[in-house]
Amino acid sequence: MTAEPYVPAHGGLRALAEASRDYQGCDALEEAGIDRNAAYLTNAVKHFKFVPEERGKRRIHKKPSAAEVRACRPWLTAELRTVKPEIVVCLGATAAKALLGSDFRVTADRGVLLDFPELDELGPQHPRWALATTHPSAVVRAPDRRSAYQGLLADLEVVASAL
């Protein structure tokens, strides 16, 4: 799948923001049995920063600092209070650590439905479960993309069966 059909030819940032609501990136949700219309996708950390790659012109994403993760927490909790999801899927280590704690390791505990942590700022209306998996960008960078994709898909199938 490519994003090309979703990218507007004109309209600048506003048009891109509107178009991004319809583009969800890959077919893994549907392959796992999750209806895209029932899924709400967000990002635990709203910062995007990069460092230029030394070998060329590519931009390499740079992990957000702990301060940036903390700064985004009110936004994430506001989204969780508004959407009231049953399950929160943490895509990648940064999202998992932001929600499940700094000791959480995606490599050790991915694909496991966990009780959602008690967060004071959410009160009694918190999600039932959390699940962490690899970030989809890790699939793209993996030496064996097919195997990495199958791992992501298996994790999402856990979510689909719980719903």
Side-chain angles (χ1 to χ4, degrees):
M1 176 177 233
T2 177
E4 189 172 347
Y6 296 91
V7 178
H10 306 288
L13 190 56
R14 184 178 307 264
L16 282 169
E18 288 176 18
S20 72
R21 285 186 228 133
D22 296 326
Y23 177 66
Q24 301 209 14
C26 74
D27 296 327
L29 289 175
E30 282 142 353
E31 280 189 58
I34 299 171
D35 178 6
R36 278 183 200 235
N37 296 320
Y40 175 79
L41 305 176
T42 187
N43 192 345
V45 181
K46 304 297 178 192
H47 296 282
F48 177 78
K49 60 184 178 179
F50 66 92
V51 291
E53 184 182 28
E54 292 180 18
R55 298 182 309 265
K57 296 180 181 181
R58 231 174 59 175
R59 297 184 310 173
I60 305 297
H61 178 72
K62 187 174 179 184
K63 181 179 171 182
S65 69
E68 290 167 331
V69 172
R70 279 192 308 276
C72 292
R73 185 62 171 241
W75 186 276
L76 175 62
T77 56
E79 286 184 330
L80 292 173
R81 275 195 307 268
T82 301
V83 176
K84 297 179 179 82
E86 189 171 347
I87 301 174
V88 173
V89 178
C90 301
L91 298 175
T94 300
K97 287 172 187 270
L99 193 61
L100 303 172
S102 60
D103 293 336
F104 188 86
R105 299 290 178 259
V106 172
T107 53
D109 294 312
R110 67 178 281 190
V112 177
L113 271 182
L114 305 166
D115 289 332
F116 193 86
E118 295 288 331
L119 302 176
D120 292 337
E121 60 265 45
L122 288 180
Q125 295 285 21
H126 63 78
R128 185 171 178 188
W129 295 301
L131 179 137
T133 187
T134 57
H135 194 283
S137 66
V139 172
V140 175
R141 293 189 314 267
D144 183 354
R145 287 184 185 166
R146 181 178 304 275
S147 176
Y149 182 77
Q150 290 304 316
L152 173 64
L153 185 59
D155 294 345
L156 293 176
E157 286 171 343
V158 171
V159 173
S161 66
L163 293 172

